[in-house]
Amino acid sequence: MTNSSFRAVYETAGTYDKLLLQHFYGGTEDIDLVADWLTEHHAAPRAALNVVEFGCGTGRITDAIAPYARNLVLADYSETMVAAVAQKFPDAQTICADTSDAVTSLLAADRAATFDLVTAFWSLSYPIGEFFEELSSAGVQPRGDQAVAEEHARKFVLDLVGLTAPGGHLLAMLFDAESPEQQLVTQAWETVAPFPGGGRAYTRHILIDALHEAENRGDGTLTHTRLGGVAWAPTRESAREWFFGVHFKHHPQLLDDLELERDVEEFIDRYEMPEGGVALPSGVHLIDFHAVAHPRASLPDGLAS
Ligand SMILES: C[S@@+](CC[C@H](N)C(=O)[O-])C[C@H]1O[C@@H](n2cnc3c(N)ncnc32)[C@H](O)[C@@H]1O
């Protein structure tokens, strides 16, 4: 049976892998999107790059990037996740810390501008959100001055850029807060506490705005793609667990909410396939910041010299 304590999804061994649904975009799984991106930018795997992954979880997507890494740094705030990746990637340096603290400690350790690849898959919205509010089983507490929070969140994004070596990339995947699935998730969390700016897209807006700022000051170029796809639940029960275990993190208030339970059942009804399984519409934002001397480096070869 799945552990149903608050945040067990990230803090109890085996729970994340058990509850996670596969995500497909145009028939391609998210991990293969990353593998395709790597092939496009770096051709065949060659252990040549300095790579850091924040919010690495159990190393699901690390599998795709590890063959390209000469040096691999894996960071996650959860001891359980860090223990899992340390076993799976014994040569990697691991950091057990909140992403913003991990970034600060890497900068303090002279790692600025040293990573060819700075990555974070499905995990950046947490550290950005944590500048604004603290999530605990007791509820969601806003943290002081929200304008100051925004300033710190933007600085955090610019620090991520600061880790990226000249010519390197910051590559992130973020959930799409506007998808019907995520709107239901937002509606549920808003019964616990409202989000800054109303809704959960604000973390992505902060990320994108700060990367625009970095582009405007000449630090690189931003490519941002949104892909529509599906989260595939092989059974109704796995779709239910996806909502309550992963999205709602077994939060006691949400577990006890009968109206929410009904809404989730209706949602699952809507997307249940006649042949079995539930195809939940999903979206992913693929964000790639290329650290080049913009705009000069954006010219074709003949024009730049
Ligand atoms: C949705 S999972 C994604 C894991 C992995 N990247 C993947 O794609 O399978 C989010 C991960 O972020 C971690 N996480 C959540 N909040 C964090 C924070 N503030 N700092 C660092 N890691 C965090 C969780 O422990 C979890 O491993």
Side-chain angles (χ1 to χ4, degrees), residues 269-286:
D269 287 345
R270 200 174 329 149
Y271 296 108
E272 192 169 18
M273 300 282 104
E275 54 280 59
V278 188
L280 300 166
S282 161
V284 65
H285 290 266
L286 193 58

Side-chain angles (χ1 to χ4, degrees), residues 44-128:
R46 214 163 36 90
L49 307 178
N50 285 326
V51 181
V52 58
E53 183 183 0
F54 296 105
C56 58
T58 53
R60 196 176 62 88
I61 298 192
T62 321
D63 279 336
I65 52 179
Y68 290 83
R70 176 159 56 93
N71 287 300
L72 181 60
V73 180
L74 298 173
D76 200 287
Y77 90 103
S78 154
E79 282 175 21
T80 310
M81 298 300 192
V82 170
V85 288
Q87 201 173 19
K88 204 164 163 192
F89 304 97
D91 295 334
Q93 176 195 341
T94 53
I95 304 176
C96 188
D98 185 275
T99 298
S100 65
D101 295 334
V103 169
T104 305
S105 69
L106 286 168
L107 289 172
D110 276 343
R111 302 300 307 270
T114 62
F115 290 98
D116 305 296
L117 258 181
V118 176
T119 62
F121 304 108
W122 305 105
S123 72
L124 267 192
S125 49
Y126 299 107
I128 295 176

Side-chain angles (χ1 to χ4, degrees), residues 193-277:
F195 290 100
R200 279 157 68 247
Y202 74 97
T203 52
R204 186 182 82 238
H205 293 149
I206 285 171
L207 177 65
I208 297 290
D209 285 356
L211 292 177
H212 269 138
E213 184 185 326
E215 182 180 289
N216 292 345
R217 72 183 192 194
D219 292 347
T221 50
L222 169 66
T223 305
H224 173 194
T225 317
R226 189 259 178 203
L227 302 170
V230 75
W232 169 245
T235 62
R236 284 186 71 96
E237 186 49 28
S238 58
R240 239 176 250 129
E241 281 283 285
W242 172 246
F243 277 99
F244 284 95
V246 180
H247 286 321
F248 305 150
K249 302 192 171 44
H250 296 119
H251 191 284
Q253 182 182 323
L254 300 180
L255 286 185
D256 289 343
D257 185 334
L258 293 179
E259 202 179 319
L260 177 61
E261 191 181 322
R262 238 184 352 260
D263 289 346
V264 169
E265 288 305 319
E266 278 172 23
F267 194 83
I268 293 173
D269 287 345
R270 200 174 329 149
Y271 296 108
E272 192 169 18
M273 300 282 104
E275 54 280 59

